Amino acid sequence: MEMLKNLPEMDLMRSEKMTFVQLIIPVESAHRAISYLGELGLLQFRDLNEDKSPFQRTFVNQVKRCAEMSRKLRFFKDQIHKAGLLSSALPTMQPDVDLEALEIQLADHEHELIEMNANSEKLQQTYNELLEFKMVLQKAGDFLLSGKSYETSDGRELDENVYSSDYPDSVSLLEQATQSGPSNSSGLRFISGIIPKSKVLLFERMLFRATRGNLLFNQATADDLIMDPVTSEMVEKTVFVVFFSGEQAKTKILKICEAFGASCYPVPEDITKQNQITQEVLSRLSELETTLDVGIRHRNAALHSIGFRLTVWINMVKREKAVFDTLNMLNFDVTKKCLVGEGWCPIFAKPQIQESLQRATFDSNSQVGIIFHVMDSVEAPPTYFRTNDFTNAYQEIVDAYGVAKYQEANPAVYTVITFPFLFAVMFGDWGHGICLLIGALVLIAREGKLSTQKLGSFMEMLFGGRYVLLLMSLFSIYCGLIYNEFFSVPYHIFGQSAYRCRDPNCSDAYTIGLIKYRDAYAFGVDPSWRGSRSELPFLNSLKMKMSILFGIAQMNLGIMLSYFNSIFFNNSLDIRYQFIPQMIFLNSLFGYLSLLIIIKWCTGSQADLYHVMIYMFLSPFDDLGENELFWGQRPLQILLLFSALVAVPWMLFPKPFILKRLHAERFQGRAYGILRSSEMDTDSEPGSARHQHEEEFNFSEVFVHQMIHSIEFVLGSVSNTASYLRLWALSLAHSELSTVFYEKVLLLAWGYDNILIRIVGLAVFAFATAFILLMMETLSAFLHALRLHWVEFQNKFYQGDGYKFKPFSFAAVLADDEDYNVFTFGTFGFLAPEAVDLLNRVQRVMHSNVMTPKSMDVVFKRVNFAIQKGVAAQLVARLPSISM
Amino acid sequence: MYGFEAMTFNIHGGYLEAIVRGHRSGLLTAADYNNLCQCETLDDIKMHLSATEYGPYLQNEPSPLHTTTIVEKCTLKLVDEYKHMLCQATEPLSTFLQYITYGHMIDNVVLIVTGTLHERDVQELLEKCHPLGMFDSIATLAVAQNMRELYRLVLVDTPLAPYFSECITSEDLDDMNIEIMRNTLYKAYLEDFYQFCQKLGGATAEIMSDLLAFEADRRAVNITINSIGTELTREDRRKLYSSFGLLYPYGHEELAVCEDIDQVRGVMEKYPAYQHIFGKLSYGESQMLDKAFYEEEVKRLCLSFEQQFHYGVFFAYMRLREQEIRNLMWISECVAQNQKSRVHDSVVFIF
């Protein structure tokens, strides 16, 4: 026991010791102090103005200004994006501009840009009009011309007709009359114009109705696409020419044109005039083009110069906004000269915080220093683990279940090894393991490059878990060597096989079996067993027993951890009435089973363990017969059964009754309740963290809780042990699946003497290996390992009801966008900005007035989890603007 | 299939019902309204709204805001949500959803026709139209000179066509005609919608008939009050009432002969469902009647969310959102005009 207490402290075992501190900051140095703290990033502020809505807070104007500036910056970004420029990612070295100057600068830039946009839009408009006019001239000219040429051809035809026959004479004459007559007389007129192609049909129908069919509608698709100045999309348009008669019809048609957004252009009937106008239009077009080009170049230059500094500005505004948001969480004291802030910080960070505060005082030439002192708080401190690149992913795995209670034993310490190991037990194949290893190594080798750039969600997930992947692959190579599987093929790596066939052609290997002729194979499963009679029975028995051993070991570790927790929190009650009976119960039943397994393995006994276990309950006093493994097994079994039976009421009854007695003792004779110490009374200010908790003791509640807990443990120890059998099941499934792909695809294809079939077979095999075995199977083994950790292991000791330490830090503020990359997952990639925004908004709301950081964290967990679970569609569906 | 919706509803309607309930929880609450009412400038309103579901729609608006921008953006959100639901919907829900917009369509038609009558610019009128009630050829409405033309040219393509059967006349359009047209169309629309819901059956029919009956009764009261002192004859007035609802038919007979608001009140107080609405008003007052009706409507709409497996929630959600936008418009107007004392006059709290 002494030895256990004197173990050196592990960083990751328990979360950092936190302390509640109060800052009293003079107004003049407040901004600087907060930004220094933001750079340090080790202090989590408490919102002292929870009851105030966002615009009732002190620094609301500054926040608004920042929001306005970030709006402008978004506008610039958008413009730069539209112009197809890349904002240079290099943060140019530039002295810090102060916020006021930046604000003016941004306003200037915006003004300039908007003006330029307006100008170019105007130019674009005229350009478009001219372009349309040009098209209308061309097309409508064609119509009119064809009409005319038709006339002339008619004339020619007439001449020809004279020679051929004379019957169509009258017809063509008539035709000529109808053709030329109206077009020359004032009766038939036309309107020509251009309209978006999508509206043509409706337009035509409407015209038809409006003129009661008295019209001729000609249309032709314009050759070029025309840019819509509003959306800057290219639109297909159609030129039309409407022939009609009558003044009233004209007004109607014009009205309809207007209603449909069709632009009408006059086309003269005379060809020379037409050509003249076309020339004019063309020359003006080329003029405009150059003007437009110059304008665009000018604008691009302006945007380029903005683009240089955009990143710096965006970061700066984000920082400023974060500072003011934090300042809004502070309280003004009565004199209005100081700001009072409260928050959590890790104890080790106190000197650093003090140092930055002093620097802030000094830099802002303040007369009064910043007061920084420790207070005590009733509220539970946040949980903070200092992780590194390697441990972070494992800590994330644990946190995804629930953030550890303050200073509670952290399962992540063990998860680092047990998680990849249990994964590998299910994924044992050293061929697949090597593939995974290569992937992991590539990710790790390109760590420096990948960590700076923005990745897609899937890559992000892989990259975040690269060290998990590394260990998983190493362990699967190890397990694969034990299982002796390389893409399901056994190899003679560790010497000769111990078995050989009975006859040379090995025909009865499956029906009768092999004969052993030398010492056992050195490491892992004997390669000759593949396809033999003993393969499946042996592997199944091995894997099943192994799963149970691992399971019992891990559950025992979990219970041991609950012991360390009780020691740490000085809770001897839990040790005596929870830890001890739990240990007894689990080990007297399943620990005993493990013992039997080991004995059976060592002695090579033929005893039936099912029988032993079942009859241990059904008839403990009967003779074991041939199933006896060691001397004195029967009395031991009786003893174990008895202790297991005793352990159940032991963990159920004493604890609630003792708690009740303790409570009664504490309040004995205190009819008036506890007097608070006077110091506490004066100290407790409104809005500080020290709310008084009245302890309520409700016996029935405690008892029911204990009952649930005990029943859960008793039933759980059976079901959890069974649950570890998934190790066996998945490992079996994996090896069978890869055997199927190997034998039924690759070997089958190889059997043909046709290169094409072989290639196809190889391709199918490679595809199946990559996607089904490497991806799907990895995922499923990962999930099962996750479940074993979350449920079977952690429920033995882990409370997981803490909340994460979220210090105010610029690094986090700036990385904000990257944080929620989960949303950029392929299928709804285009939603990412909205989704991120939604989350930001959620955060803001919860941060500012509704909830505590704790529940915020919970919500984020859920959201995150929902996405990972693939039910994100529902969340996405809730997003307000979905581009359809 | 009454009573068995629970078995089959979710096959087609479950996803959208979940979505609409999700949208509903995004409606502004009384706390939001309290905060909004305390705003000093439109920027404050924007700031507060940016913390709600309206955030992404407003965040890129440059600072000197106008009430119209706020309302426009909020409406845009509603339209986006509606379009999304419509895209996802299958029959008969998609038809049901389309029915919801016909009311706006009628309003838009009337708006354009009236506007053209007073020689307003068509584009300007189009901007004022409710985006939910837009149809392709709406701009062409300006061409029409009389009802017959209106029908033949434009409306024959729209879903409103069947409702027109009662009001095709060759008379020239004037204000009175248009108003009668609006009410006739609306009557036909409500009756059609009612029939449609009855055909759907089940909880949808039950809930929607209640909501639509309320709507019909409210229109009847409004028509009566608005037509007092006009040249509309009793017979004509009688014709404009929808042929269902709590007031049908006896209430309608009585309403048709009413000559002043107190008589209307007398009629309405005979109906227990409407008693308390009129009970709140003092005699001779019709100003607050709208608000009272709105409050009652909101209450009924909210209640429809209490039951599951029916389409009424879609109708209710759209109506509630519209009410919310009306509220926002009123609050922003009050803030913009410095009339903060009147801010509570017309705001109907939804929750």
Side-chain angles (χ1 to χ4, degrees), chain A residues 443 455-465 469 771 774-776 778-779 821-827:
Chain A
L443 284 177
L455 305 164
S457 151
F458 189 69
M459 271 306 283
E460 176 93 15
M461 225 145 60
L462 274 183
F463 180 70
L469 208 60
F771 286 93
L774 285 178
M775 284 180 68
M776 304 296 292
T778 309
L779 266 181
N821 249 345
V822 216
F823 280 89
T824 51
F825 197 77
T827 39

Side-chain angles (χ1 to χ4, degrees), chain A residues 698-718:
Chain A
N698 188 341
F699 178 73
S700 62
E701 211 171 85
V702 172
F703 189 78
V704 167
H705 180 82
Q706 185 68 20
M707 196 158 74
I708 292 170
H709 199 81
S710 313
I711 293 173
E712 199 196 327
F713 182 83
V714 170
L715 295 182
S717 58
V718 181

Side-chain angles (χ1 to χ4, degrees), chain A residues 288-570:
Chain A
L288 259 179
E289 232 165 273
T290 42
T291 330
L292 262 177
D293 268 357
V294 171
I296 286 173
R297 231 176 295 144
H298 187 59
R299 202 174 66 130
N300 283 357
L303 282 177
H304 206 68
S305 70
I306 293 173
F308 267 132
R309 282 161 293 169
L310 194 63
T311 336
V312 181
W313 286 346
I314 288 177
N315 286 349
M316 189 172 151
V317 170
K318 267 189 190 168
R319 273 160 168 256
E320 284 299 323
K321 185 154 184 300
V323 168
F324 285 118
D325 276 340
T326 312
L327 280 172
N328 270 337
M329 291 172 31
L330 308 186
N331 235 343
F332 261 114
D333 77 336
V334 258
T335 57
K336 292 266 173 197
K337 279 182 184 143
C338 302
L339 284 162
V340 182
E342 288 174 7
W344 291 100
C345 74
I347 283 179
F348 74 85
K350 263 165 53 184
Q352 295 174 52
I353 290 174
Q354 253 155 350
E355 192 268 333
S356 6
L357 291 179
Q358 272 163 14
R359 204 149 45 87
T361 317
F362 182 76
D363 285 353
S364 50
N365 296 324
S366 173
Q367 304 288 316
V368 198
I370 298 169
I371 300 169
F372 175 77
H373 65 97
V374 176
M375 300 202 305
D376 36 58
S377 161
V378 178
E379 204 180 292
T383 310
Y384 175 46
F385 293 107
R386 276 192 282 179
T387 54
N388 53 26
D389 277 352
F390 183 76
T391 47
N392 188 38
Y394 298 97
Q395 187 66 53
E396 286 296 313
I397 288 176
V398 171
D399 283 353
Y401 175 77
V403 177
K405 206 169 77 180
Y406 177 62
Q407 294 255 292
E408 160 176 54
N410 181 12
V413 181
Y414 309 95
T415 306
V416 173
I417 294 300
T418 54
F419 184 83
F421 181 68
L422 287 188
F423 169 85
V425 169
M426 293 180 268
F427 196 77
D429 187 314
W430 58 282
H432 297 148
I434 285 172
C435 294
L436 281 191
L437 180 65
I438 290 168
L441 287 179
V442 166
L443 284 177
I444 291 169
R446 298 176 63 201
E447 192 173 66
K449 203 168 145 205
L450 287 175
S451 57
T452 48
Q453 78 197 59
K454 232 177 177 179
L455 305 164
S457 151
F458 189 69
M459 271 306 283
E460 176 93 15
M461 225 145 60
L462 274 183
F463 180 70
R466 59 196 181 278
Y467 288 109
V468 184
L469 208 60
L470 177 74
L471 282 195
M472 286 188 332
S473 62
L474 288 178
F475 278 114
S476 21
I477 293 173
Y478 170 70
C479 285
L481 287 173
I482 291 182
Y483 296 161
N484 205 346
E485 283 185 23
F486 177 83
F487 295 110
S488 82
V489 186
Y491 277 90
H492 295 79
I493 308 171
F494 304 101
Q496 284 295 307
S497 163
Y499 293 85
R500 65 159 185 239
C501 299
R502 285 166 192 275
D503 52 349
N505 59 358
C506 262
S507 57
D508 55 357
Y510 189 73
T511 45
I512 303 173
L514 306 164
I515 17 173
K516 190 174 177 182
Y517 72 103
R518 52 184 290 172
D519 281 347
Y521 186 64
F523 183 83
V525 176
D526 196 307
S528 294
W529 282 357
R530 154 80 28 161
S532 76
R533 200 181 80 138
S534 39
E535 184 197 2
L536 272 185
F538 174 76
L539 280 181
N540 281 349
S541 149
L542 169 78
K543 285 176 179 171
M544 182 164 62
K545 287 172 182 152
M546 197 173 70
S547 314
I548 289 177
L549 289 187
F550 289 148
I552 302 297
Q554 197 178 24
M555 287 193 288
N556 270 316
L557 175 65
I559 303 177
M560 283 303 291
L561 284 175
S562 80
Y563 167 76
F564 286 115
N565 268 345
S566 313
I567 291 275
F568 186 83
F569 295 116
N570 268 334

Side-chain angles (χ1 to χ4, degrees), chain A residues 53-56 60 63-64 67-68 71 74-75 110 202 205-206 209-212 252 255-256 258-261 834 837-838 841 844-845 848-849 873-874 877-882 884, chain B residues 15 19 22-23 25 35 38-39 41 43-44 47-48 50-53 55-57 59-63 77 80 83-84 87 121 123 136-137 139-140 142-143 145 149 152-153 156-157:
Chain A
S53 66
F55 51 84
Q56 286 169 330
V60 58
V63 172
K64 263 195 228 166
E68 179 68 17
R71 184 194 62 76
R74 275 199 302 274
F75 172 68
E110 194 198 19
L202 257 171
R205 186 160 48 180
M206 193 58 64
R209 276 197 208 130
T211 57
R212 294 167 194 263
K252 262 190 191 169
K255 256 189 183 171
I256 293 174
E258 188 194 355
F260 272 89
E834 285 98 319
D837 188 78
L838 175 83
R841 239 157 1 94
R844 220 176 312 140
V845 177
S848 52
N849 48 5
Q874 284 162 27
R878 283 216 197 173
L879 295 178
S881 79
I882 290 174
M884 280 180 289
Chain B
Y15 172 65
I19 286 198
H23 283 324
S25 52
N35 279 333
Q38 289 165 14
C39 289
T41 63
D43 278 337
D44 286 346
M47 190 164 163
H48 188 85
S50 71
T52 67
E53 293 209 343
Y57 287 87
Q59 68 171 359
N60 279 345
E61 289 310 310
S63 206
K77 176 179 149 56
D80 280 350
K83 282 186 178 158
H84 178 230
C87 269
D121 182 36
Q123 288 306 323
D136 283 337
S137 44
T140 340
V143 183
Q145 298 295 324
E149 252 187 343
R152 203 174 51 75
L153 267 183
V156 70
D157 284 341

